[in-house]
Amino acid sequence: MSLNIKPLADRVVVEAAAAETKTASGIYIPETAQEKPQKGTIVSVGPGKYADVSGALIPMTIKVGDSVLYGKYAGTEINLDGKEYLIMRESDIYAVL
């Protein structure tokens, strides 16, 4: 899961889970109708954010390898080595699974 990209401040790099291609009843969903996934795996984490008042570093609460849920339109999509990733702030993540 090592990546040659290091996010800054309180940002993380997420590898999105694959979109569902089949419904529970067995119907195949075409690629144009698939919903954007809202969960993924953390592949890289920034050092944390500095507090505005005290200037102390606030460390990240998530780590590489965590499975997370995030907003449908969260983050910026990037393509590295043929894979799709999202760069987002830690605050865009709703939960750790």
Side-chain angles (χ1 to χ4, degrees):
M1 288 197 155
S2 179
L3 212 77
N4 290 335
I5 186 170
K6 182 70 175 172
L8 300 175
D10 64 337
R11 290 180 174 81
V12 296
V13 179
V14 178
E15 182 176 2
E20 294 292 325
T21 58
K22 191 174 167 183
T23 64
S25 61
I27 299 172
Y28 287 96
I29 304 169
E31 190 171 320
T32 55
Q34 292 175 1
E35 288 192 27
K36 190 174 176 182
Q38 291 179 273
K39 66 179 177 177
T41 305
I42 303 293
V43 293
S44 188
V45 178
K49 184 178 179 180
Y50 287 95
D52 293 333
V53 177
S54 67
L57 181 66
I58 302 169
M60 301 290 275
T61 57
I62 56 175
K63 60 187 180 305
V64 173
D66 283 348
S67 293
V68 295
L69 294 176
Y70 52 86
K72 192 174 228 174
Y73 301 105
T76 301
E77 295 178 358
I78 59 170
N79 191 340
L80 291 172
D81 301 327
K83 284 191 168 185
E84 296 271 334
Y85 296 99
L86 291 164
I87 296 180
M88 65 182 70
R89 291 188 179 275
E90 184 181 28
S91 60
D92 292 335
I93 295 173
Y94 297 147
V96 176
L97 301 175

